[in-house]
Amino acid sequence: MLKVREIVDILNADVLAGEENMDMEIYSACGADLMSDVMAFVKESVILCTGLVNPQVVRTAEMMDINVICFVRGKVPGEQVIELAKEKGITILATKNPLFIACGKLYQAGLVGKGVWE
């Protein structure tokens, strides 16, 4: 388990929305750019790491009860995506780490990734 504030430090991430959620506990991570893959990964207290920066990411996160999204590869979503996340109470982070490295750092820090195959 990691708190969002720890994830921010580990990934050297910027907080774009949800500053009030820094003490939220996260137990697993999902890294994907295909939202259909995210929908197959149904877990609680998860962070979604993705390079996709459109409103569909926030809508998918809302539908799957994902409370934290971290955009990777230095990508920053537009204001529309950030505002939508704020409306839905979803924390948005952005890191320069590539997806593989971001997920690896989170795994190394203790987060797990469990899917339908387990």
Side-chain angles (χ1 to χ4, degrees), residues 45-95:
S45 303
V46 65
I47 179 172
L48 167 61
C49 296
T50 186
L52 195 61
V53 290
N54 64 38
Q56 187 62 31
V57 174
V58 176
R59 300 237 181 255
T60 301
E62 176 190 23
M63 188 169 50
M64 302 309 296
D65 293 324
I66 295 172
N67 297 316
V68 182
I69 301 169
C70 182
F71 294 103
V72 297
R73 298 192 294 270
K75 294 187 175 189
V76 177
E79 196 57 38
Q80 176 189 15
V81 174
I82 294 170
E83 287 304 313
L84 181 60
K86 287 178 181 177
E87 286 175 26
K88 305 301 181 185
I90 296 173
T91 300
I92 299 290
L93 310 177
T95 182

Side-chain angles (χ1 to χ4, degrees), residues 9 16 21 23 31-33 37 40 44 46 51 61-62 69 71-72 74 77-78 93 97 101 106 115:
D9 289 339
L16 306 179
N21 297 325
D23 288 323
D33 286 343
D37 287 348
E44 292 182 25
V46 65
E62 176 190 23
I69 301 169
F71 294 103
V72 297
L93 310 177
N97 288 294
I101 299 298
L106 295 175

Side-chain angles (χ1 to χ4, degrees), residues 93-110:
L93 310 177
T95 182
K96 292 183 179 176
N97 288 294
L99 181 59
F100 180 78
I101 299 298
C103 290
K105 286 181 176 186
L106 295 175
Y107 180 81
Q108 188 175 33

Side-chain angles (χ1 to χ4, degrees), residues 1-2 10 26-28 104-112:
M1 180 276 301
L2 294 172
I10 290 165
I26 302 296
Y27 289 90
S28 66
K105 286 181 176 186
L106 295 175
Y107 180 81
Q108 188 175 33
L111 289 189
V112 295

